[in-house]
């Protein structure tokens, strides 16, 4: 392999440094990662959209005091992998528990989760792997609560690390 070939990059797929403080939050259809307009109070900063696969990395924020949107009567899933890092605030999944700053979760394709909401609002870093994000909403109702039981789905050797969020007094 020539030196040129070793160092060649596809400029369209190059991940460059981004100063997220210089980026505006974007709502509505323009800020959406699914092609459908975002709900009121939700905005994104798109950090990377792969030109070939439409995989995405983004910041995702929501205002406080919201339960699941009307379309989320039960769980939702995606036909691609979704990975969430909680940067600030808290995010509740009624089936799995509450995430706080440093909280992390991911789902394989079509693993259903939720419904979701937040009393404090949140700022998330989300990565979508395996194609553009698409939502599939279950028709089967699942009860929502802001104080769910800590119930993550973890392999045995990860279970010691999956502790409940320790500051529920924020509520
Ligand atoms: Fe999801």
């Amino acid at each position: 392999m020539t030196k040129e070939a070793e160092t060649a990059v596809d400029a369209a797929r190059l991940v460059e440094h981004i100063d997220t403080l210089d980026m505006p939050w974007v709502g509505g259809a323009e800020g959406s990662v699914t092609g459908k307009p975002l709900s009121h109070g939700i905005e994104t900063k798109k950090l990377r959209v792969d030109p070939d696969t439409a995989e995405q990395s983004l910041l995702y924020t929501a205002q406080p005091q919201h339960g699941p949107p009307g379309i989320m009567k039960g769980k939702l899933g995606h036909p691609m992998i979704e990975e969430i890092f909680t940067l600030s605030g808290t995010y509740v999944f009624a089936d799995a528990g509450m995430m706080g700053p440093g909280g992390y979760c991911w789902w394989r394709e079509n693993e259903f989760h939720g419904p979701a909401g937040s009393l404090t609002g949140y700022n998330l870093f989300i990565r979508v792997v395996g194609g553009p994000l698409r939502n599939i909403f279950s028709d089967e109702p699942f009860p929502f609560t802001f104080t769910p039981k800590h119930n993550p789905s973890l392999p045995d050797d990860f279970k010691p690390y999956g502790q409940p969020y320790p500051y529920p007094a924020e509520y």
Side-chain angles (χ1 to χ4, degrees), residues 70-140:
I71 194 169
M72 197 188 294
K73 298 182 182 352
K75 297 182 180 182
L76 81 160
H78 321 280
M80 57 288 304
I81 294 170
E82 178 189 40
E83 185 175 37
I84 297 178
F85 300 80
T86 306
L87 303 178
S88 61
T90 58
Y91 195 13
V92 164
F93 287 92
D95 64 328
M98 178 189 298
M99 292 201 297
Y104 171 81
C105 61
W106 72 291
W107 296 274
R108 287 219 66 100
E109 300 88 340
N110 301 307
E111 277 190 317
F112 278 67
H113 47 279
S118 176
L119 283 177
T120 63
Y122 51 71
N123 182 24
L124 312 174
F125 173 69
I126 299 180
R127 225 164 61 96
V128 180
V129 180
L133 186 69
R134 285 194 288 125
N135 293 326
I136 302 168
F137 294 98
S138 171
D139 292 331
E140 188 178 332

Side-chain angles (χ1 to χ4, degrees), residues 98-101 150 163-170:
M98 178 189 298
M99 292 201 297
H150 182 68
Q163 300 298 316
Y165 180 61
Y167 306 111
E170 281 188 18

